[in-house]
């Protein structure tokens, strides 16, 4: 699908990351003018940073929030303060951006959630809950912010710097194990997710939706 975003003004939050970077590149390739603020310009965990950023900006056509940092681990092993930091980063980070962002009518906001919302993992329960909350936020904001459209794109396992803390050997072992159980027999690339983000941003009949891009991970046995 080739979509023309010629002269559209697009903000990608988290563009230094794998999915955000691929999304910013895809919007640019489709003709958009893309803002990619670094974290020291727009820190989604900081109310003042978010408000100051948008106060100095003209309205956008499309805003994508692909920024997040969360702590992985079971509910029993992650202490409550760290769990709250994760919620404050990924959920309230997107909430702050959506609350402050000024957009043209007919524009869109897209959150990046994650398939753990639908298919929980015993070692990442919190991530699933945060992602489910983000998807509910998109559905509700699609009503509150109409005619601005609000959607979520929910990735499965994607090869990005998010997994850089693992050793190369552990990462490849995990990628192979996950790929072998997926219907598509491979893990995702950031551009797979970017393509879905451009789809929900472009399609004027899509709002309040969550588009899953997980290689069939949610339905795999
Ligand atoms: N990769 C996967 O397997 C996967 C699966 C499901 C869902 N997701 C979700 O997809 C989204 C993007 O993930 P990714 O894989 O692209 O991750 P990534 O490569 O680690 O990128 C994360 C991005 O978030 C930014 N960020 C973190 N904290 C921030 C803050 N306080 N303010 C502003 N920016 C901040 C990072 O900026 P810095 O450069 O400053 O750190 C970076 O640009 C996340 O919501 C993630 O949970 C990913």
């Amino acid at each position: 699908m080739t979509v023309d975003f010629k002269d559209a003004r697009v903000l990608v939050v988290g563009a230094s990351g794998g999915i955000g970077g691929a999304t910013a590149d895809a919007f640019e390739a489709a003709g958009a003018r893309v803002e990619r603020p670094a974290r020291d310009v727009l820190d989604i965990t900081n109310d003042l940073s978010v408000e100051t950023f948008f106060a100095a900006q003209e309205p956008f056509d499309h805003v994508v929030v692909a920024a997040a940092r969360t702590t992985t681990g079971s509910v029993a092993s992650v202490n409550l303060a760290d769990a709250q930091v994760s919620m404050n980063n990924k959920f309230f980070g997107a909430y702050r951006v959506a609350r402050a962002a000024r957009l043209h009518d007919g524009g869109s906001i897209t959150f990046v959630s994650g398939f753990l919302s639908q298919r929980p993992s015993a070692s990442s329960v919190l991530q699933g809950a945060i992602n489910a909350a983000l998807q509910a936020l998109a559905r509700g904001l699609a009503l509150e912010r109409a005619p601005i459209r609000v959607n979520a794109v929910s990735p499965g396992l994607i090869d990005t710097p998010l997994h850089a803390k693992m050793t190369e050997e552990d990462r490849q072992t995990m990628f192979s194990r996950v790929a072998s159980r997926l219907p598509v027999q491979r893990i995702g690339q950031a551009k797979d997710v970017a393509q879905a983000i451009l789809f929900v941003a472009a399609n004027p009949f899509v709002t309040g939706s969550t588009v899953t891009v997980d290689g069939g991970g949610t339905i795999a046995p």
Side-chain angles (χ1 to χ4, degrees):
M1 180 184 68
T2 307
V3 178
D4 188 359
F5 284 97
K6 192 165 174 358
D7 293 331
R9 192 153 177 272
V10 175
L11 170 67
V12 179
V13 187
S16 66
I19 291 171
T23 301
D25 291 348
F27 270 115
E28 269 174 8
R33 290 176 288 131
V34 182
E35 295 276 339
R36 309 175 184 229
R39 191 200 296 223
D40 57 0
V41 174
L42 176 54
D43 179 348
I44 59 168
T45 63
N46 183 310
D47 297 351
L48 185 61
S49 169
V50 174
E51 282 161 20
T52 306
F53 175 83
F54 284 106
Q57 296 286 332
E58 294 297 313
F60 288 97
D61 294 299
H62 303 286
V63 170
V64 177
V65 187
R69 176 152 304 171
T70 58
T71 301
T72 305
S74 62
V75 169
S77 67
V78 176
N79 71 49
L80 206 51
D82 287 341
Q84 287 171 340
V85 166
S86 293
M87 191 74 177
N88 185 46
N89 183 304
K90 183 161 180 176
F91 176 76
F92 279 108
Y95 188 103
R96 280 184 192 90
V97 170
R99 189 166 187 271
R102 291 184 302 129
L103 290 105
H104 295 297
D105 285 355
S108 74
I109 300 173
T110 306
F111 302 133
V112 179
S113 57
F115 88 131
L116 292 170
S117 59
Q118 300 288 94
R119 182 164 180 133
S121 151
S123 60
S124 308
V125 173
L126 177 62
Q127 270 78 13
I130 292 171
N131 290 330
L134 265 181
Q135 291 163 10
L137 181 66
R139 285 193 294 276
L141 278 178
L143 297 177
E144 183 183 325
R145 295 291 301 262
I148 292 162
R149 295 175 298 105
V150 187
N151 295 290
V153 168
S154 182
L157 183 64
I158 311 294
D159 184 3
T160 72
L162 183 72
H163 309 290
K165 276 193 196 141
M166 302 173 83
T167 65
E168 177 66 19
E169 191 185 347
D170 286 353
R171 190 166 55 242
Q172 291 311 330
T173 302
M174 177 181 75
F175 285 175
S176 301
R177 179 174 48 75
V178 172
S180 69
R181 82 165 184 84
L182 291 178
V184 299
Q185 293 286 296
R186 70 167 175 87
I187 63 153
Q189 299 299 320
K191 65 180 182 198
D192 297 323
V193 185
Q195 197 175 25
I197 292 172
L198 265 68
F199 161 72
V200 299
N203 191 314
F205 204 54
V206 175
T207 193
S209 293
T210 296
V211 175
T212 303
V213 185
D214 69 348
T218 307
I219 56 164

